[in-house]
Amino acid sequence: MTNGTAASRGTGIALWKQIAERLEQEIATGVLAPGARLPVETDLAATFGVNRHTLRRALAHLSERGLIEATAGRGTFVKEPPLRYPISGRTRFSEIVSAGGREPFGRMLGSCVEPANEEVARELKLPVGTAVLRIESTHEADGVPISFGTSWFPQARCPDLDLIYAATGSLTRALATLGIEDYRRRETRLSARPATALELEALCLAPGRAVMVLERLDVELNGTPLQWGRSSFAADRVQLVFKPQAGA
């Protein structure tokens, strides 16, 4: 930030509005670059010579305009443009994020082997009750949560996949370790709804925010179902781009 001066009293312009306009100008001119973290509230309030209530009103105004975003445990940041996320026959989170100039990371939250219920069995074309590996994870770009979801894999085909994934932070590398060098997206389904309490926490979202829910089916090159899953994307952090299949 620039060396800001205190907001001026007696000008007829509310103090919070003066602060919001000054910060907005610094964002527009690049003084506060996309992804930059703002100083903590106490420091900002001291810089502008106001109390924290006034400062918070200014920050709330900027947040409503989509210019900044507060994430629990991390601070308040200038919002980056939505991550362009192509959906095609070959969709890889790490490659997409890297291509956008950001650092990708997959974080496994938990895993278990369980019998396939009717929904999972239908998607993976397995008998109901077949052992499947369930993995819950979040995916980040430059440390910012982008998606949170659950995936199911045939346990017989993917033994210890969860352990390898936890160690590498990349599902693609983990599958390659098991001899699955490539796979393809067969189907993607998209819907939207308000975020649940669990999604708000996992994606560091403010109450009332929405998520895009993406269901996906990935298959091996011979057409055998490999992964079925459901992921929730922070709606304003990603722009899903659907590309037509070759020959479509």
Side-chain angles (χ1 to χ4, degrees), residues 13 30 176 208:
I13 302 175

Side-chain angles (χ1 to χ4, degrees), residues 39-59:
V40 297
E41 286 186 358
T42 51
D43 290 345
L44 271 178
T47 295
F48 291 110
V50 298
N51 59 40
R52 293 177 69 178
H53 175 76
T54 299
L55 176 71
R56 285 174 179 170
R57 185 171 180 184
L59 296 180

